[in-house]
Amino acid sequence: MTLTHTPSSLIPTLPGADYTDAGFFAAEQEHIFEQLWFCAARSSDLTGPGSFRTVTVGRESVLLTRNRRGEARAYFNVCRHRGARLCTEESGQAQRAFQCPYHAWTYDFDGKLIAAPNLTKMPDIDRVEYGLVTISVREWLGYVWVCLAAEPPPFESTVANAVVERLGDLESIEHYGLDSLQVGRRIVYDVRANWKLIIENFMECYHCATIHPELTEVLPEFADGYAAQFFVGHGAEFGADVKGFTVDGSEGMERLPGVSAEQDRRYYAITIKPQVFINLVPDHVIFHRMYPLAPDRTVVECDWLYLPGVVESGVDVSASVELFHRVNQQDFDACERCQPAMSSRVYRNGGVLVPSEHHIGEFHQWVHAQVGRDA
């Protein structure tokens, strides 16, 4: 059935093919994930010089490490000789340098070519020019952000400004001290759904009363369908009898020292396009990073961040982890339920959004603008 008229209270979504078409996904990889700032890893994942992690950004494998000065560095994970992948493991520790396992071209932690078989017999080779190709890198909020573009967009007016647009200023997120927190738990989810379905789900709470019973017990206003991101600076308030952001509403950890009285007993959610969700509560922070790998597959890495003393003490954090772990499972199940229908003839022209989801319509316009399509 084809709708000939959309009521004024409803907003059309993207067409189904935008969630399934390999060509459209390739355009997103090229124009979104390979052009914008991408949150690649937690800074603490790179413990020191030579510590490395490899991540997929768009269509590229990216090698993250630290140099001898402790600075975060990022390179295309491609040997300059014959193109072999330099590091095949997800993470590890290089002792003195990175050596290609194919022909032993060797690079220091600043990417310079320092050795290769018979290299001294080729004095015309510039060791820097034939070093690893560098990627722009920035550390912020305790995470390593990279941008594959030759000329990255300004970090402040894109990534940082997303926080300002949501909270009203940068000082509000600085109260949580994300740089100094430690990972108390990390869970990786392999979601059989398009990355946009996950973004859309996170941005709205029209579904909360239906699939998030634990969350709406802690945050009763979510049962009304308005997400925390609907109003600038608004944080959803804990229920009157709720003591902490835990699966059963029980007491959580000690409040983060910088959190203000106005932020206490409130939950704030932030979306930083294209692939980050930040959830702020008084005693911890939940930080999601998405790695879109295929039109119908997205890996989501979720960190629960606590004060160092909480992590080092070994105190049980399972009650706070379990709350958002259930939320994640419920959300990802919903996204996986939607994905098959994206290729249905019924969804050829897309679906609709209700008024409380209007900001998803803005997200759809943003996606089309990035890939060069008319809205």
Side-chain angles (χ1 to χ4, degrees), residues 107 116 221 226 322:
Y107 308 86
E221 67 185 74
Y226 285 94
E322 182 61 24

Side-chain angles (χ1 to χ4, degrees), residues 10-43:
L10 299 178
I11 304 167
T13 70
L14 297 174
D18 284 6
Y19 301 85
T20 62
D21 182 71
F24 189 77
F25 182 68
E28 292 174 330
Q29 289 177 306
E30 178 181 0
H31 297 290
I32 296 178
F33 303 113
E34 297 173 14
Q35 290 296 316
L36 304 179
W37 286 98
F38 187 101
C39 188
R42 181 73 179 164
S43 292

Side-chain angles (χ1 to χ4, degrees), residues 214-364:
E214 299 88 356
L215 185 63
T216 52
E217 281 291 322
V218 175
L219 305 173
E221 67 185 74
F222 273 14
D224 294 330
Y226 285 94
Q229 298 179 79
F230 194 77
F231 306 104
V232 175
H234 176 70
E237 190 171 2
F238 291 8
D241 298 328
V242 171
K243 296 180 180 179
F245 197 75
T246 56
V247 70
D248 55 2
S250 60
E251 195 78 40
M253 308 299 151
E254 62 177 295
R255 192 170 88 184
L256 301 175
V259 170
S260 68
E262 293 74 20
Q263 292 171 319
D264 194 17
R265 294 184 56 78
R266 287 186 179 273
Y267 162 84
Y268 298 85
I270 306 166
T271 300
I272 300 179
K273 296 189 292 287
Q275 45 79 249
V276 169
F277 308 144
I278 306 176
N279 310 272
L280 306 170
V281 294
D283 63 335
H284 65 283
V285 173
I286 307 150
F287 200 106
H288 296 71
R289 300 185 306 288
M290 294 193 303
Y291 302 88
L293 300 181
D296 59 354
R297 185 184 175 209
T298 309
V299 169
V300 183
E301 192 166 281
C302 186
D303 292 339
W304 281 259
L305 307 172
Y306 300 89
L307 287 170
V310 170
V311 177
E312 293 162 3
S313 71
V315 65
D316 185 8
V317 297
S318 59
S320 58
V321 171
E322 182 61 24
L323 174 57
F324 227 88
H325 175 51
R326 290 192 192 181
V327 170
N328 285 338
Q329 289 179 313
Q330 292 156 354
D331 281 339
F332 300 153
D333 286 347
C335 294
E336 291 181 340
R337 184 183 294 267
C338 290
Q339 183 64 39
M342 297 299 101
S343 57
S344 169
R345 71 189 71 184
V346 176
Y347 212 80
R348 182 174 296 131
N349 296 320
V352 293
L353 304 168
V354 300
S356 66
E357 301 171 307
H358 72 88
H359 47 307
I360 296 177
E362 295 168 1
F363 167 64
H364 291 165

Side-chain angles (χ1 to χ4, degrees), residues 166-244:
R166 170 64 191 94
L167 299 182
D169 53 51
L170 283 179
E171 290 75 17
S172 293
I173 198 169
E174 291 169 356
H175 293 172
Y176 293 83
L178 271 76
D179 289 357
S180 62
L181 301 183
Q182 291 186 6
V183 178
R185 189 73 58 83
R186 172 174 291 168
I187 300 177
V188 179
Y189 306 85
D190 197 333
V191 187
R192 296 292 174 175
N194 185 271
W195 69 281
K196 295 186 295 300
L197 290 176
I198 300 173
I199 289 271
E200 294 160 12
N201 175 279
F202 186 75
M203 291 178 72
E204 55 91 359
C205 210
Y206 191 47
H207 68 277
C208 288
T210 308
I211 71 171
H212 294 320
E214 299 88 356
L215 185 63
T216 52
E217 281 291 322
V218 175
L219 305 173
E221 67 185 74
F222 273 14
D224 294 330
Y226 285 94
Q229 298 179 79
F230 194 77
F231 306 104
V232 175
H234 176 70
E237 190 171 2
F238 291 8
D241 298 328
V242 171
K243 296 180 180 179

